[in-house]
Amino acid sequence: MGLLEGRVAIVTGAGSGIGKATALRMSQEGAKMVVVDIVPDAGQETLATIKERGAEGIFIETDVTNSDHVERMVDTVQSNYGQINILHNNVGVGGSKSAHDTTEENWDRIINGCLKSVFLCCRTIIPLMLKNDGGNIINTASVLGLVASPKQSAYCAAKGALVLLTKQMAVDYSVQGIRINCVCPSDISTPTHQRFFASREDPEAVRRSLMERHPINRFGKPEEVAEAVLWLASDSSSFVTGVALPVDGGLTAW
Amino acid sequence: MRLKDKVAIVTGAGSSIGQESAILFANEGARVIVAEINDDAGQETAERIGKNALFVKIDVSSWEDTKRMVKSAVDHFGGLDILFNNAGIDLPYATTVVDTEISDWERIININLKGVFLGVHHALPIMMAQNSGVIISTASRAGLGATKGEAAYCASKGGVVSLTRQLAIDYGKYNIRVNSICPGGIDRPTIDRSEFLDQSVGALERRNEQIIQKVPIGRLCSPQDVAQAALYLASDASAYVTGTALVVDGGGLAL
């Protein structure tokens, strides 16, 4: 009997990286997976892997920064499964710069991708969870919502806001049976992380300095974040709500 | 005179924390750009200060307005030493995430969070060129821990706290200090929306009484309390302080 047997779980940004790892891990525990991504090929690939392993799921192409898309996505889940038990808001957008180098367009893109997307999904899905006597929401924030890093102005702003949005929602909805938490990963080896390095002038120097910030002396794996998300999504964490759980190899312990 | 010959911008300077801070900064020797969206309120603050103030009508969520605001400091007072991003709003209804209109979410995020980014973005080149500067932003106790019925507000203020830390890292090498202030137990209706919605006689007093019960120091926070914190962060007294969120809450967070 899996930890999430019979539950319906949505993972946004499930086409790659942390989202993909979470979707695969949750499906292993018996959840019916709703794979959400803006990139059809990536989402389909995640779904195919889920099905190969004998689990159930659907893929819905969605831009989670668009409220019409989000509503359509939720309608599709409802007509397929009739309920939503778990929501993992995992979509994020990188590409930050220092504040004086940040254009308005860049700021808006990152704030919308990392923050508004969570607002829109929660706003649409929480009423359904309330009708359903509860649910579970996990957001992918970041250690950059807890501490700062160079040239990450909009990203730090967005993730700090997301940490507080998580806590705020926990304060409002925990009593009604919805637990809401976030994970705060540090550097996780994902395609996004690769793109981040590629965008820097001296990728090797950036890699070294980031590695030095990790007491564990390595970067994380998406699967390690997925384990934390799974724990928060499962009944094992039934008294845990409103927390920002670092999965960071000790980065915020200094 | 702790801010002698300094040029400061204070946004939201027409009332409350912004007004007290603008006046206090001026009393300490600063020349002040009174940035405010409300004409009457901005004029009043500028008149109370006198010749060392200039009222500039702006919307902090506008790229063009914030650019003009910074330019006016340079044009009228010859530079910019202190930027106090204080303008902020809340909604007059309980904003659980489900109840929040999308347009209201955007308004709160754009004024409270993007407004800080925009002011900073335009001020930084000047501060970097002179290799000095002070940036202060009004965050909130609600940017450190959540308040019921305040989804958009908490998110926006959490963003300000986090953005502040980030700016401190990028611009420390230019001798630019960046800090936020987190007032709590403040004597204005930003706490507990549901109580605020109660308009009956005595409701405000009952609300304040409830807040005071959660404040060890036993009274509400005044705009002057926050202005004094802003003065400390603006002055050389805090020369080694950067990236912090200074809590001014009468001990509420310590409970």
Side-chain angles (χ1 to χ4, degrees):
Chain A
M1 185 80 174
L3 286 170
L4 306 180
E5 207 66 48
R7 296 183 206 178
V8 177
I10 299 174
V11 179
T12 71
S16 65
I18 292 169
K20 182 175 185 175
T22 305
L24 295 178
R25 187 71 187 87
M26 284 182 174
S27 74
Q28 233 177 8
E29 293 294 337
K32 294 170 191 158
M33 292 309 306
V34 180
V35 174
V36 170
D37 207 288
I38 198 168
V39 183
D41 290 352
Q44 291 291 5
E45 199 185 303
T46 300
L47 179 62
T49 309
I50 287 170
K51 289 190 166 169
E52 274 164 28
R53 296 178 183 180
E56 196 180 335
I58 53 171
F59 166 66
I60 309 172
E61 182 182 344
T62 312
D63 173 0
V64 287
T65 66
N66 178 315
S67 59
D68 292 337
H69 279 219
V70 170
E71 272 173 38
R72 200 180 333 130
M73 180 266 283
V74 173
D75 287 347
T76 308
V77 180
Q78 285 293 88
S79 60
N80 274 271
Y81 293 125
Q83 65 181 49
I84 297 169
N85 305 100
I86 296 162
L87 167 63
H88 181 199
N89 290 301
N90 170 70
V91 165
V93 172
S96 268
K97 298 179 173 185
S98 290
H100 74 283
D101 276 337
T102 302
T103 61
E104 188 167 23
E105 186 276 332
N106 182 257
W107 170 272
D108 288 343
R109 203 168 54 81
I110 290 165
I111 297 290
N112 288 342
C114 295
L115 181 60
K116 186 181 177 183
S117 60
V118 178
F119 165 66
L120 291 177
C121 288
C122 288
R123 186 177 183 275
T124 313
I125 291 169
I126 284 174
L128 302 171
M129 288 182 167
L130 291 175
K131 260 191 242 164
N132 212 13
D133 296 326
N136 198 305
I137 298 174
I138 307 103
N139 301 322
T140 300
S142 165
V143 287
L144 296 192
L146 305 173
V147 295
S149 196
K151 299 182 183 174
Q152 295 278 4
S153 61
Y155 194 76
C156 283
K159 293 299 190 177
L162 180 52
V163 169
L164 258 292
L165 178 61
T166 301
K167 294 183 184 210
Q168 201 289 325
M169 293 190 295
V171 164
D172 277 344
Y173 299 108
S174 292
V175 72
Q176 289 161 285
I178 305 177
R179 289 191 297 112
I180 306 175
N181 296 286
C182 62
V183 288
C184 294
S186 59
D187 292 86
I188 308 297
S189 303
T190 63
T192 308
H193 202 232
Q194 291 306 321
R195 281 197 295 276
F196 163 75
F197 282 127
S199 74
R200 294 321 198 203
E201 263 172 38
D202 185 350
E204 202 38 52
V206 174
R207 184 187 296 274
R208 253 196 326 275
S209 86
L210 286 174
M211 192 71 86
E212 279 169 11
R213 289 182 73 177
H214 289 74
I216 209 165
N217 200 35
R218 65 174 175 85
F219 294 148
K221 298 178 213 144
E223 292 75 19
E224 293 174 304
V225 183
E227 289 296 334
V229 176
L230 172 64
W231 181 68
L232 291 171
S234 74
D235 296 339
S236 308
S237 62
S238 54
F239 200 56
V240 179
T241 191
V243 308
L245 176 60
V247 183
D248 69 351
L251 182 138
T252 51
W254 292 110
Chain B
M1 297 286 259
R2 287 181 275 178
L3 302 180
K4 192 167 160 21
D5 299 329
K6 302 286 188 191
V7 177
I9 293 174
V10 180
T11 70
S15 62
S16 190
I17 293 169
Q19 183 174 56
E20 292 299 332
S21 300
I23 292 168
L24 182 60
F25 286 8
N27 287 343
E28 292 290 338
R31 286 164 292 166
V32 182
I33 297 290
V34 174
E36 169 63 51
I37 196 164
N38 179 311
D39 281 305
D40 292 346
Q43 291 291 1
E44 189 204 306
T45 302
E47 278 163 24
R48 283 178 62 182
I49 293 171
K51 67 174 173 51
N52 283 332
L54 177 74
F55 166 51
V56 179
K57 182 184 171 72
I58 70 147
D59 171 355
V60 292
S61 68
S62 153
W63 177 276
E64 287 306 322
D65 281 14
T66 46
K67 191 174 172 182
R68 181 166 50 80
M69 166 182 85
V70 169
K71 188 170 183 300
S72 66
V74 176
D75 290 349
H76 289 265
F77 295 134
L80 177 62
D81 303 292
I82 299 156
L83 170 63
F84 185 10
N85 298 298
N86 167 71
I89 58 160
D90 202 350
L91 298 174
Y93 66 93
T95 58
T96 60
V97 82
V98 173
D99 295 336
T100 307
E101 296 295 334
I102 295 172
S103 58
D104 283 335
W105 168 272
E106 304 230 295
R107 217 159 68 83
I108 294 250
I109 297 295
N110 284 341
I111 293 172
N112 293 5
L113 179 54
K114 187 177 178 179
V116 173
F117 159 66
L118 291 175
V120 163
H121 175 85
H122 295 303
L124 278 168
I126 294 164
M127 293 180 172
M128 289 160 74
Q130 69 199 16
N131 207 39
S132 73
V134 173
I135 295 166
I136 305 159
S137 302
T138 302
S140 168
R141 160 70 178 79
L144 300 172
T147 311
K148 265 189 124 140
E150 292 264 15
Y153 188 79
C154 283
S156 71
K157 295 301 190 178
V160 173
V161 170
S162 192
L163 176 60
T164 297
R165 279 193 295 260
Q166 202 289 325
L167 294 166
I169 284 192
D170 274 349
Y171 300 101
K173 62 175 175 286
Y174 296 99
N175 193 32
I176 299 169
R177 295 187 298 107
V178 192
N179 294 289
S180 65
I181 304 176
C182 294
I186 198 116
D187 186 11
R188 53 191 279 267
T190 56
I191 296 174
D192 201 336
R193 301 280 83 194
S194 54
E195 287 290 316
F196 176 54
L197 291 174
D198 181 357
Q199 300 283 351
S200 63
V201 177
L204 185 67
E205 288 72 16
R206 283 198 301 278
R207 181 181 66 82
N208 286 347
E209 203 47 54
Q210 280 184 6
I211 292 171
I212 288 168
Q213 279 173 14
K214 294 176 192 163
V215 176
I217 222 163
R219 65 171 175 84
L220 296 173
C221 181
S222 72
Q224 287 86 347
D225 290 322
V226 183
Q228 288 293 344
L231 173 61
Y232 164 69
L233 292 173
S235 74
D236 292 341
S238 62
Y240 201 59
V241 180
T242 192
T244 66
L246 177 55
V247 181
V248 181
D249 75 338
L253 195 62
L255 267 180

